[in-house]
Amino acid sequence: MPELLNSHKIPKIYVYTEPQYKTAEWEGKRKGQGFLKIGFTTGNVENRIRQQFPTNKPVDNPFEILLEEVAIRKDGTFFSDKDVHRILRKNGVEERTTQGKHTEWFECTLEEVEQAIFAVKNHKTTFTERRMDFAMRPEQAQAVKVTSEYFKNFSYEREHKTPHFLWNAKMRFGKTFTAYQLAKKMGWKKVLVLTFKPAVQNSWETDLVNHVDFADWQFVCRTGTQYKDIDPKKPFVWFASFQDVLQKTDAGGIKPRNEEIHCINWDCIILDEYHFGAWRDSAKDLYDAEDKAEQKKQAGDGLEYYDEEQMPLTTSAYLYLSGTPFRALNNGEFLEDQIFNWTYTDEQREKNNWDEKQGENPYLELPQMVMMTYQMPEEIRAIALLGEYNEFNLNEFFKAKEEGGLCKFAHEAEIVNWLNLLRGQYKPSTLDELKIGKKPPMPYSDIRLLSALSHTFWFLPSVASCKAMGDLLQKHPFYKEYKVIVCAGNEAGMGVEALEPVRRAIGNGFDTKTITLSCGKLTTGVTVPEWGGIFMLRNTSSPETYFQAAFRVQSPWTVRNPDGVNPNEKKIVKDTCYVFDFAPDRALSQIAEYSARLNAASKESPEKRVEEFIHFLPVLCYDGSTMELINASELLDLVISGTASSMLARRWESALLVNVDNPTLIKLIENDKAMEALSRIEGFRNLNKDITTLVNKSEALKKAKQENKEDLSKQEKKQLTQEEKEIKSKRKEIQEKLLKFATRIPVFMYLTDYREQTLRDVITQLEPELFQKVTGLTIPDFELLVSIGIFNEQIMNSAVFAFRRYEEASLSYTGLTKHQELLVGGFNTKLPRIEVENLGR
């Protein structure tokens, strides 16, 4: 090692400019502006630059440091500024000279300097636009490994369908980079990326055009390089909006700009942000608060849902990407060997367990999340208690409407009280609260929270409520110190356009304070590192919506070389981020549902998954008197005890309990014994005929759509649309018939007292006669239907545990201790009681 490094001095290349040179026009042959000084030091960069200013300047900082970079190659050798100068000159960059002498001032951009440094580090002599050379993290490499093995071992002749695979991976997994690595591994040359959120285009393009691993790849998109302009011999990625590609013209044909997409036989079609494509159920809740123009642009007129079987494109493989693909998992669209899972729990576990011998911890900069829930004071809650169960309704509380061009809250006085509550300045009026004498940590009063919340995101119910809140904050004596960005409505811009005002307001993040108000924009596909907390101020029953928004604040915020000592060192500015919720029942329910569904392939019980999840995402609950950290058992008890028995019963009416997609129904038709079993149940006599008709019509419709796409008359198209409606209606009818069977299972739970066994064991081994009397099915019949996949065991398991907990809570409340078994059974799994009682403690 050279003596320079042995003396503990680190060689650095630095770049700076001065105010008078920042926008000065270039004087040489090239057109541009801005002169940059490129130097070298082994000491403090700022001190070294100041040495170049022998006389005091009229300003404190007469220069602006633009870059500090360690001047060490990967092989351990170091280089100097002279090496960088040489590369710049070789590539046509001109240096300013004084009387023929070098000045180290160059007419170039900062990007060109970065390209020159990258070239020197990699022993190259020419510029390259590709300066990213990081390797895959362990989980990314594992995703490529298992996915490529699945695709390579898949047999189309055996399965009679195109293979598909799902990456259930949270934000910050690095899906674009990893997907491209999979493409290289598979030897793909033609990849189509269809996204349900066009705002993510930048991340797909950046990784492909900037990383050295994809030097030969080309990026095609509507707003950039066109397909006709690429080299057909080199691999390419075509990025497009799902809505744009699959929507038809007014005449029913393919849009002219998308004709090539339909003609190419793709190696793989990647569907990004797939949770937005599950239109069948209530995934439109992801857009439900956004303005109509945004909905139209993102969801598309007349586009009801995505169906792989009716895809009008040809491909050898499908790859689905989503951080919250719960509907796809619940609907049985993917089998266990077709899913790679990477969750928040996985990430934080690796962060905690990283072995420093392996090098720098790649997860260290990913902040831990903390949820804080608050029970509103009674006098504030009272005005928004609605519904059958008299629950606090956030949409009602923050309801606003526009009058005369101004937006105003319906309950403005109470919202002012709430804003004061966040400051810790709202005075409680109940005797119990006064007796306690303890104040919970409030977001804008507790010093520990206040320092972390310079920049926050407030998720509100509507455009009107965002505008009303913006006006209210700007008039408030405390919040007016914050720059408030109303990111809602047409005037805020669509998709990624809405991000620019936020970025401008935040600036460097250190000397500004901001509050961003939104009802849908910027909740997916964007990164704002400075956001330290999110306020969930609207109703949502969808864990997709809730956690897609919540994970916005988990983006890393780091700065490089903040103290000038080690330029290769990054300082983590944000190691913790916060989710604030003022409807505790809703918040805890979302946590329970999300954590239990994170990994559909997990063999652990839902309770165990909740326990591990809140170990890494602590939940603090303020119940009106004290704020306590709760454990998994307490969380689930609160969720269930706050749920009426009638609501539990409705779990057994959920459409998620049964699978009625074509592959499952075909399996059912092809199994004579299964069809006979169903026919023996009252109400299922004609099911055989109904299912056969449904499958045949679906296949015929699919074939008709794929053929003669452009040759159909208006009457034929109308007929196809009518047939599609009939198929949907028939599928729903079959689903409802199967659900009638599922609704009988709670009756069986009430009649049996074998709590220590799984319900499936009770059914098949302990009380088969009772089960047959209640449901009409014999045990062999039941086992057969379960094996075919008609019933969703995962959802049934969750519903059984919910019943067990509700029953247990009810008995404990009355002072009874009827059940003391060592085990508690779900539908197909069981857990030691002592483990349940000690979860999280």
Side-chain angles (χ1 to χ4, degrees):
M1 204 61 153
E3 182 181 350
L4 183 64
L5 296 185
N6 288 339
S7 64
H8 303 292
K9 294 181 178 180
I10 301 174
K12 287 161 277 196
I13 300 293
Y14 60 84
V15 180
Y16 75 90
T17 188
E18 296 181 40
Q20 69 271 26
Y21 297 145
K22 192 170 184 179
T23 57
E25 296 294 328
W26 292 349
E27 300 170 351
K29 298 177 182 179
R30 302 194 313 155
K31 298 293 185 182
Q33 62 181 22
F35 299 144
L36 304 181
K37 177 69 177 288
I38 303 159
F40 173 85
T41 185
T42 59
N44 181 279
V45 168
E46 184 173 346
N47 292 341
R48 175 68 188 96
I49 296 174
R50 288 193 181 278
Q51 291 172 6
Q52 301 171 40
F53 293 85
T55 59
N56 291 332
K57 293 277 185 172
V59 291
D60 292 336
N61 287 307
F63 53 85
E64 179 183 352
I65 301 175
L66 302 176
L67 179 70
E68 296 180 36
E69 186 80 22
V70 175
I72 304 176
R73 301 182 182 91
K74 288 185 177 180
D75 59 8
T77 60
F78 66 88
F79 57 93
S80 74
D81 54 343
K82 301 298 186 293
D83 299 298
V84 179
H85 299 163
R86 186 170 56 254
I87 296 295
L88 288 171
R89 296 190 194 100
K90 184 176 178 62
N91 286 273
V93 173
E94 297 183 58
E95 181 183 11
R96 300 188 74 194
T97 58
T98 301
Q99 298 178 348
K101 295 182 179 180
H102 294 300
T103 64
E104 298 182 351
W105 283 91
F106 288 83
E107 297 179 349
C108 64
T109 64
L110 180 61
E111 183 179 17
E112 287 175 322
V113 178
E114 291 174 333
Q115 290 173 344
I117 293 173
F118 185 85
V120 173
K121 281 188 173 183
N122 289 275
H123 299 283
K124 298 181 182 297
T125 59
T126 57
F127 279 176
T128 174
E129 293 183 357
R130 298 176 182 271
R131 303 188 305 277
M132 295 162 54
D133 60 353
F134 52 85
M136 285 189 286
R137 296 193 304 268
E139 74 276 9
Q140 294 172 327
Q142 181 65 12
V144 170
K145 179 177 182 293
V146 299
T147 310
S148 61
E149 288 177 353
Y150 175 80
F151 283 140
K152 288 176 180 178
N153 295 328
F154 186 88
S155 170
Y156 185 89
E157 291 72 19
R158 182 178 68 247
E159 300 293 340
H160 304 294
K161 62 180 181 180
T162 304
H164 67 189
F165 203 95
L166 169 68
W167 287 355
N168 170 22
K170 72 167 290 290
M171 187 187 74
R172 313 305 309 178
F173 168 71
K175 59 187 177 182
T176 57
F177 171 67
T178 312
Y180 290 150
Q181 292 290 0
L182 174 65
K184 283 192 63 179
K185 178 80 171 178
M186 293 296 299
W188 292 334
K189 304 296 183 184
K190 298 170 292 183
V191 176
L192 175 63
V193 177
L194 291 180
T195 180
F196 293 93
K197 286 287 283 183
V200 302
Q201 175 179 327
N202 183 62
S203 60
W204 282 100
E205 185 171 8
T206 298
D207 281 356
L208 194 74
V209 303
N210 287 332
H211 201 285
V212 295
D213 286 355
F214 315 121
D216 293 330
W217 284 75
Q218 306 162 96
F219 190 83
V220 178
C221 65
R222 179 179 169 185
T223 57
T225 302
Q226 303 299 298
Y227 177 65
K228 62 182 177 60
D229 298 323
I230 67 170
D231 183 346
K233 296 179 181 179
K234 293 183 178 181
F236 68 94
V237 172
W238 192 326
F239 177 93
S241 158
F242 170 88
Q243 298 88 335
D244 180 55
V245 169
L246 298 190
Q247 276 189 291
K248 301 296 182 66
T249 63
D250 293 339
I254 299 169
K255 294 179 180 179
R257 65 170 174 262
N258 295 325
E259 287 178 354
E260 288 100 339
I261 291 179
H262 287 74
C263 294
I264 296 171
N265 183 24
W266 298 97
D267 293 324
C268 182
I269 293 178
I270 300 175
L271 292 113
D272 190 21
E273 303 289 351
Y274 177 55
H275 47 277
F276 281 89
W279 304 125
R280 283 188 183 86
D281 302 304
S282 58
K284 287 182 181 176
D285 177 49
L286 296 166
Y287 296 119
D288 67 355
E290 195 48 278
D291 53 87
K292 298 299 181 184
E294 180 86 356
Q295 290 186 42
K296 182 175 180 180
K297 180 178 179 181
Q298 301 289 7
D301 270 349
L303 190 65
E304 292 188 2
Y305 59 83
Y306 164 76
D307 187 343
E308 185 182 296
E309 292 186 0
Q310 296 183 14
M311 191 73 157
L313 305 172
T314 56
T315 181
S316 299
Y318 288 104
L319 177 65
Y320 293 81
L321 310 175
S322 175
T324 51
F326 299 143
R327 287 181 177 83
L329 296 174
N330 288 333
N331 291 339
E333 294 178 31
F334 300 90
L335 303 177
E336 186 175 330
D337 63 343
Q338 299 168 334
I339 304 170
F340 173 80
N341 298 287
W342 182 253
T343 68
Y344 171 79
T345 302
D346 296 326
E347 169 199 282
Q348 293 294 313
R349 186 193 305 114
E350 290 301 311
K351 174 181 173 180
N352 286 1
N353 297 335
W354 182 259
D355 185 354
E356 295 298 335
K357 294 178 182 178
Q358 300 180 53
E360 185 179 354
N361 188 339
Y363 312 102
L364 196 60
E365 63 188 45
L366 294 167
Q368 182 182 30
M369 299 180 74
V370 174
M371 173 176 281
M372 304 185 75
T373 70
Y374 299 83
Q375 183 75 53
M376 293 273 211
E378 189 60 37
E379 54 268 35
I380 294 181
R381 295 178 69 243
I383 54 98
L385 292 175
L386 298 174
E388 182 182 354
Y389 305 106
N390 207 30
E391 296 172 337
F392 179 63
N393 187 296
L394 285 166
N395 285 8
E396 170 62 28
F397 185 71
F398 290 103
K399 182 171 67 176
K401 62 180 179 180
E402 185 174 351
E403 292 181 355
L406 296 175
C407 295
K408 191 176 178 64
F409 284 116
H411 311 293
E412 185 170 300
E414 286 77 13
I415 290 176
V416 171
N417 287 338
W418 174 77
L419 288 172
N420 291 331
L421 178 71
L422 298 186
R423 288 276 297 129
Q425 294 182 345
Y426 180 73
K427 307 301 183 193
S429 62
T430 66
L431 183 61
D432 287 342
E433 287 174 323
L434 291 171
K435 283 180 178 178
I436 294 297
K438 291 182 180 179
K439 288 186 177 181
M442 302 306 293
Y444 287 99
S445 64
D446 188 282
I447 189 63
R448 295 162 297 179
L449 295 175
L450 190 59
S451 61
L453 301 178
S454 295
H455 306 281
T456 54
F457 183 92
W458 294 22
F459 197 17
L460 287 148
S462 66
V463 174
S465 63
C466 289
K467 292 180 178 179
M469 183 64 78
D471 291 339
L472 211 55
L473 291 175
Q474 288 167 3
K475 297 174 186 175
H476 193 281
F478 172 77
Y479 298 101
K480 70 179 182 181
E481 298 177 4
Y482 290 76
K483 173 67 175 177
V484 178
I485 308 102
V486 180
C487 187
N490 295 338
E491 58 270 33
M494 293 187 184
V496 74
E497 297 171 6
L499 181 61
E500 184 55 32
V502 179
R503 288 255 45 99
R504 286 200 305 269
I506 291 176
N508 64 19
F510 294 102
D511 51 16
T512 57
K513 296 191 295 184
T514 67
I515 295 174
T516 301
L517 308 175
S518 172
C519 57
K521 296 182 192 293
L522 307 186
T523 55
T524 61
V526 299
T527 298
V528 181
E530 296 84 1
W531 281 341
I534 181 170
F535 290 74
M536 309 298 288
L537 308 178
R538 52 167 290 187
N539 291 349
T540 174
S541 59
S542 161
E544 288 94 333
T545 306
Y546 195 92
F547 283 97
Q548 281 289 332
F551 277 120
R552 290 306 100 194
V553 302
Q554 209 227 347
S555 299
W557 185 13
T558 62
V559 292
R560 188 174 292 278
N561 188 25
D563 55 12
V565 175
N566 182 355
N568 199 38
E569 182 181 8
K570 288 190 295 186
K571 178 179 176 59
I572 297 172
V573 180
K574 183 174 70 178
D575 56 11
T576 307
C577 55
Y578 298 89
V579 180
F580 299 98
D581 203 308
F582 299 86
D585 293 345
R586 185 276 303 269
L588 299 181
S589 176
Q590 293 283 10
I591 283 278
E593 185 173 5
Y594 179 74
S595 54
R597 294 162 65 182
L598 278 174
N599 185 346
S602 174
K603 303 303 181 184
E604 293 180 333
S605 68
E607 284 87 345
K608 190 68 176 176
R609 277 179 269 172
V610 171
E611 176 191 18
E612 187 171 26
F613 183 73
I614 66 174
H615 172 73
F616 295 115
L617 196 159
V619 180
L620 291 94
C621 291
Y622 175 61
D623 61 4
S625 58
T626 59
M627 176 165 268
E628 301 287 347
L629 182 69
I630 65 172
N631 60 41
S633 179
E634 291 167 334
L635 186 149
L636 290 169
D637 283 342
L638 285 168
V639 170
I640 299 305
S641 62
T643 304
S645 57
S646 59
M647 293 177 70
L648 284 175
R650 282 203 292 273
R651 282 193 177 208
W652 294 92
E653 299 172 5
S654 168
L656 299 177
L657 283 167
V658 296
N659 296 321
V660 290
D661 57 345
N662 270 19
T664 304
L665 294 180
I666 290 172
K667 288 181 184 178
L668 188 61
I669 292 174
E670 293 175 347
N671 194 308
D672 293 337
K673 289 184 178 180
M675 294 303 297
E676 289 174 10
L678 282 180
S679 67
R680 286 194 286 272
I681 305 176
E682 183 182 352
F684 289 76
R685 302 285 185 261
N686 299 321
L687 197 61
N688 191 335
K689 181 180 178 182
D690 290 344
I691 294 176
T692 303
T693 301
L694 171 62
V695 171
N696 290 339
K697 281 191 173 184
S698 294
E699 293 298 317
L701 180 64
K702 176 183 175 183
K703 186 176 180 181
K705 282 190 169 185
Q706 290 177 339
E707 299 173 355
N708 307 317
K709 295 189 186 91
E710 308 301 325
D711 301 331
L712 296 175
S713 66
K714 285 188 176 180
Q715 184 61 35
E716 288 172 325
K717 290 175 183 175
K718 185 176 180 181
Q719 183 178 348
L720 284 178
T721 301
Q722 182 60 35
E723 287 181 8
E724 194 167 9
K725 289 181 179 179
E726 291 175 3
I727 290 170
K728 187 181 290 186
S729 175
K730 181 61 69 176
R731 196 180 298 276
K732 186 175 181 181
E733 181 184 339
I734 292 171
Q735 187 179 57
E736 289 174 349
K737 285 183 178 180
L738 290 169
L739 280 173
K740 286 181 180 178
F741 166 78
T743 56
R744 297 176 185 179
I745 292 183
V747 177
F748 183 75
M749 284 194 291
Y750 276 109
L751 293 176
T752 183
D753 200 35
Y754 289 104
R755 290 175 50 84
E756 74 279 12
Q757 300 296 331
T758 68
L759 186 60
R760 185 168 179 176
D761 287 342
V762 173
I763 289 171
T764 58
Q765 300 172 29
L766 302 176
E767 295 191 359
E769 294 179 2
L770 175 60
F771 180 74
Q772 186 170 354
K773 287 180 181 179
V774 172
T775 65
L777 280 179
T778 65
I779 298 308
D781 291 345
F782 172 71
E783 292 278 27
L784 184 58
L785 293 174
V786 169
S787 68
I788 287 175
I790 287 292
F791 303 114
N792 190 321
E793 290 185 277
Q794 183 74 13
I795 303 299
M796 284 189 173
N797 209 35
S798 175
V800 172
F801 269 112
F803 174 84
R804 302 293 197 206
R805 285 190 165 274
Y806 178 78
E807 183 184 36
E808 188 88 347
S810 299
L811 292 171
S812 298
Y813 181 77
T814 60
L816 299 175
T817 53
K818 181 179 179 183
H819 300 292
Q820 294 295 329
E821 297 84 1
L822 296 178
L823 296 174
V824 178
F827 181 76
N828 63 356
T829 188
K830 49 191 173 183
L831 196 67
R833 174 176 294 279
I834 189 170
E835 187 174 336
V836 174
E837 292 174 350
N838 290 316
L839 281 175
R841 294 195 173 104

